[in-house]
């Protein structure tokens, strides 16, 4: 069976996600002689966000800022942290279960006054 463009029908779909995550739906098309089910899956990622933190700490004393990481997707996350800059410390890996918020403990311990 070969179809040409006259046999095709456009089905416009508008999708406006509220947040990041995996969205699934089914579209059921029925006629008197045919039934078809189309499954659609859309994965929405957040934009690359930047943040800035300012730490005020006495010299040689550590301060810890817990950074919340919310997982609004449908799967668990295993995240790797890459810290750049002198005096910053934190765990190299953090797990965030689906639908939960985990706190990443970022520590700043200055070695000199600056």
């Amino acid at each position: 069976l070969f179809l040409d463009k006259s046999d095709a029908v456009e089905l416009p779909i508008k999708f406006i996600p509220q947040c990041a995550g995996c969205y699934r739906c089914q579209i059921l098309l029925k006629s008197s002689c045919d039934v078809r089910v189309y499954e659609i899956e859309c994965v929405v990622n957040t934009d690359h966000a930047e943040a800035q933190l300012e730490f005020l700490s006495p010299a040689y004393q550590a301060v810890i800022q817990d950074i919340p990481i919310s997982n609004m997707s449908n799967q668990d996350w295993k995240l790797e942290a890459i810290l750049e800059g002198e005096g910053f410390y934190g765990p190299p890996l953090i797990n965030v279960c689906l639908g939960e918020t985990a706190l990443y403990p970022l520590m700043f311990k200055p070695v000199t006054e600056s």
Side-chain angles (χ1 to χ4, degrees):
L1 178 67
F2 294 98
L3 302 176
D4 59 28
K5 288 186 178 183
S6 64
D7 296 321
V9 176
E10 287 189 27
L11 181 63
I13 297 173
K14 187 173 187 176
F15 173 63
I16 304 173
Q18 297 298 314
C19 59
C22 182
Y23 297 86
R24 293 181 181 91
C25 76
Q26 291 183 341
I27 298 175
L28 175 65
L29 301 176
K30 294 193 288 187
S31 73
S32 59
C33 59
D34 194 15
V35 175
R36 294 176 189 226
V37 177
Y38 292 92
E39 294 186 3
I40 297 176
E41 178 179 291
C42 295
V43 177
V44 178
N45 297 317
T46 58
D47 289 336
H48 214 63
E50 289 188 27
Q52 183 174 346
L53 298 174
E54 185 174 321
F55 288 91
L56 297 175
S57 171
Y60 309 107
Q61 293 186 23
V63 61
I64 297 175
Q65 174 70 51
D66 288 324
I67 300 172
I69 301 173
S70 297
N71 181 353
M72 304 305 280
S73 73
N74 292 328
Q75 59 188 4
D76 293 342
W77 288 349
K78 184 176 183 178
L79 304 175
E80 177 184 6
I82 300 172
L83 301 177
E84 296 179 356
E86 191 175 330
F88 289 95
Y89 306 93
L93 297 173
I94 184 169
N95 295 314
V96 185
C97 296
L98 63 99
E100 293 186 359
T101 298
L103 297 176
Y104 182 83
L106 179 62
M107 181 195 321
F108 176 63
K109 186 175 182 182
V111 293
T112 62
E113 287 186 38
S114 62

